[in-house]
Amino acid sequence: MPPTPHPSKDDQSVSEVDETTALLTVSKAGPNLPANEGAILGETRPDGAGPEDEEDKPLPRTQIFLLCYARIVEPIAFFSIFPFINKMIWETGGLNEADVGFYSGLIESLFSLTQMLLMILWGHAADRLGRKPVLVFSLAGVSVATALFGLSKTIWQMILFRCLSGVFAGSILTIRAMISENSTPKTQARAFSFFAFTGNLGILLGPLIGGALADPAGQYPRVFGEVQFFKDFPYALPTFFTGAVGASATVISWLFIHETLDPKSVDKTSKNAPMSFRELTMSPGVLIVLLIYGYIMLLAFAYTAVIPVFFFTDVKLGGYGFSPLQISLFMALGGLSQSIWLLLAFPPLQHRFGTGGVLRGCAVVWPSLFFMVPAGNFLLRQDWVLTFWIVVPISVALGSGVAMAFTAIQLALNDIAPSPSTLGTLNALALTLTCGIRALAPAAFASIFATGVRTQILDGYLVWLVLLILALALVPPLRWLPAKAEGRLKHDERSD
């Protein structure tokens, strides 16, 4: 094999590109291998250094821990309002109970629409100004906007402050990039497992915080019963607490997190221009993986939009009639179950059956999950309360395994990238697609739920019939999942 010339620093950066670096730009062209395939096949780097040399760099656990703490702010801020938002809308807007779901979905849709419009701009800022400034500024904005949400006295104020939270959407992109830049091919999987676990921990803690701290004067009259402020603003305490968590993450990030973007890592004079969105989506296999990615996100956001208002809705109308605390406990059970599935079950399942196998397994389970939720209401209508409290929590814990599809489709997206230099653009495109779906799905499915409840079509189960059909429709597209995205690349011996 002829000797390879010693590469420049910019050339070396190509081998270090991973799923989030750089967010929206590309470095000089490197070996034309699909994302992750070089590491899987044991390719040698251009400078002659093998994967074992990269493995020598230890994972900076302190930096990863601090970044994960910053990561937890977003899911806590997003999910903490779910246990009380429907009651807050009902009390604030003076609406009929059947109309609450529409406004609940509208608020979350506008939040996601705001994120979608600004996601790419935040990516550009993180690439040009540095990761740390964007992270600190975004965390500070989310902290203030989240705290103010609890002071809303009208529905339009709730919409304004929720959209303001969506404006500061730069933290999630930036944290992904910084975790990637703090890790090596060997430690990246471990680093991102911490990232995924932290996200699910936020999903677990957010509803608990919201349910436990909402209406403190009513829930804890001995402590807060005489505090007039909490009588006037019964939902200020959970949002203030969440804002305080965000503020602490802002200060910690400003003081202790290191900048990871090397100003010299991006060669602005490179002749290798980034692929356009059209060129990228027309690359082999990319479009079908993006479509499956979007469809899975649609199922996730539809369920997330409907389930809080379903828990809140009276049993006679087709819901569970839960209190805010019960809503928070059930949502916490779902978050905890997802964490267990992702940490303990997903790695061996993906290793044995591949990414495609996990996706197909989740596609089979999803319809069962959407069937069991309204089945719980049927049990309550029959006054089979004990059976409900045995069957439904178990079905929630088992059905949460579909969360493995979110990680699996992300792996498929990484593997289908035409080259490592397109990963940033491909992930930006996928996140923009996700925000667009999250902007439309909550309002659409909350409206379907409200229509079913108001008219009592199928005893209020209309939305679950729609979701069941959509879940069944996920199975056929997975037949066309590209081989490169199946997650079963073999260790082939390659010659030059």
Side-chain angles (χ1 to χ4, degrees):
M1 176 177 175
T4 55
H6 187 74
S8 65
K9 185 175 183 179
D10 291 332
D11 293 330
Q12 289 179 351
S13 66
V14 174
S15 63
E16 297 171 359
V17 175
D18 47 39
E19 70 174 278
T20 53
T21 309
L23 296 176
L24 294 168
T25 57
V26 293
S27 302
K28 289 187 177 181
N32 189 22
L33 284 175
N36 298 333
E37 188 172 336
I40 294 175
L41 295 176
E43 286 293 308
T44 303
R45 294 175 55 194
D47 60 357
E52 63 276 4
D53 297 305
E54 284 288 296
E55 295 175 0
D56 293 336
K57 181 182 177 182
L59 188 68
R61 292 182 178 272
T62 300
Q63 288 295 300
I64 297 298
F65 173 80
L66 295 177
L67 288 169
C68 286
Y69 182 68
R71 165 72 177 101
I72 206 172
V73 173
E74 192 267 343
I76 287 180
F78 184 79
F79 285 98
S80 62
I81 71 169
F82 279 28
F84 62 79
I85 185 172
N86 296 291
K87 189 176 181 181
M88 185 179 182
I89 292 172
W90 188 24
E91 295 174 348
T92 301
L95 305 172
N96 294 325
E97 183 177 343
D99 295 325
V100 168
F102 169 77
Y103 286 96
S104 175
L106 178 64
I107 289 173
E108 295 313 312
S109 294
L110 292 175
F111 167 81
S112 298
L113 178 62
T114 306
Q115 282 191 323
M116 182 189 71
L117 295 175
L118 297 173
M119 189 69 70
I120 294 179
L121 293 178
W122 281 116
H124 279 298
D127 281 337
R128 296 178 180 180
L129 304 178
R131 317 296 194 204
K132 184 174 179 177
V134 171
L135 175 62
V136 172
F137 185 74
S138 298
L139 288 173
V142 168
S143 302
V144 173
T146 300
L148 292 176
F149 184 84
L151 301 179
S152 302
K153 300 299 289 184
T154 67
I155 290 179
W156 298 112
Q157 287 178 348
M158 295 171 68
I159 292 175
L160 173 63
F161 292 133
R162 196 61 167 167
C163 287
L164 187 60
S165 295
V167 168
F168 300 96
S171 62
I172 186 66
L173 279 170
T174 309
I175 292 170
R176 286 186 180 186
M178 297 182 82
I179 288 181
S180 178
E181 289 161 343
N182 272 298
S183 58
T184 66
K186 178 182 178 181
T187 60
Q188 180 175 296
R190 191 185 317 141
F192 275 95
S193 70
F194 296 151
F195 174 87
F197 174 77
T198 305
N200 281 277
L201 183 61
I203 296 174
L204 169 67
L205 295 177
L208 286 176
I209 292 171
L213 300 184
D215 189 18
Q219 287 200 79
Y220 314 107
R222 293 184 178 179
V223 180
F224 300 104
E226 302 301 322
V227 181
Q228 187 62 39
F229 177 81
F230 290 129
K231 293 181 179 180
D232 296 335
F233 301 97
Y235 305 104
L237 184 59
T239 60
F240 279 15
F241 184 88
T242 303
V245 173
S248 66
T250 303
V251 174
I252 290 173
S253 299
W254 177 41
L255 294 177
F256 302 112
I257 288 181
H258 303 153
E259 176 62 69
T260 58
L261 179 65
D262 182 358
K264 298 180 181 180
S265 63
V266 179
D267 184 1
K268 297 181 180 180
T269 64
S270 173
K271 296 181 181 179
N272 299 307
M275 296 176 70
S276 67
F277 285 167
R278 177 180 174 79
E279 292 172 332
L280 185 57
T281 55
M282 291 299 104
S283 298
V286 170
L287 185 58
I288 183 63
V289 172
L290 278 174
L291 290 175
I292 296 173
Y293 185 102
Y295 200 90
I296 288 175
M297 293 302 109
L298 175 65
L299 293 177
F301 293 141
Y303 179 79
T304 302
V306 170
I307 202 65
V309 68
F310 172 82
F311 285 159
F312 169 76
T313 301
D314 189 82
V315 173
K316 296 179 180 179
L317 296 176
Y320 286 173
F322 280 172
S323 67
L325 180 59
Q326 289 174 318
I327 293 174
S328 66
L329 290 174
F330 253 67
M331 295 187 70
L333 172 63
L336 177 62
S337 301
Q338 287 183 17
S339 298
I340 294 173
W341 279 104
L342 288 172
L343 285 176
L344 302 182
F346 177 74
L349 288 175
Q350 196 275 340
H351 178 75
R352 182 183 178 97
F353 300 106
T355 302
V358 173
L359 286 172
R360 293 182 184 93
C362 292
V364 171
V365 173
W366 233 310
S368 301
L369 172 64
F370 290 158
F371 174 80
M372 288 304 301
V373 175
N377 171 262
F378 176 80
L379 295 176
L380 291 175
R381 288 189 178 191
Q382 304 303 314
D383 203 26
W384 296 342
V385 178
L386 179 61
T387 304
F388 171 86
W389 286 107
I390 294 175
V391 172
V392 173
I394 293 175
S395 67
V396 169
L398 296 178
S400 296
V402 298
M404 293 187 294
F406 310 144
T407 303
I409 194 60
Q410 181 63 55
L411 295 180
L413 188 72
N414 292 342
D415 288 339
I416 205 63
S419 68
S421 62
T422 61
L423 271 173
T425 304
L426 183 58
N427 274 274
L429 180 59
L431 286 172
T432 302
L433 175 65
T434 297
C435 290
I437 295 172
R438 192 163 67 177
L440 300 175
F445 286 93
S447 297
I448 295 173
F449 176 79
T451 300
V453 169
R454 186 185 305 110
T455 61
Q456 281 298 290
I457 299 176
L458 300 176
D459 291 331
Y461 300 156
L462 175 62
V463 71
W464 299 109
L465 176 61
V466 174
L467 288 173
L468 182 62
I469 294 172
L470 289 175
L472 290 170
L474 174 62
V475 177
L478 291 174
R479 297 175 57 187
W480 292 285
L481 187 70
K484 198 168 74 170
E486 286 283 352
R488 284 187 166 184
L489 293 176
K490 296 181 180 180
H491 295 265
D492 300 328
E493 291 185 5
R494 299 167 59 130
S495 59
D496 294 306

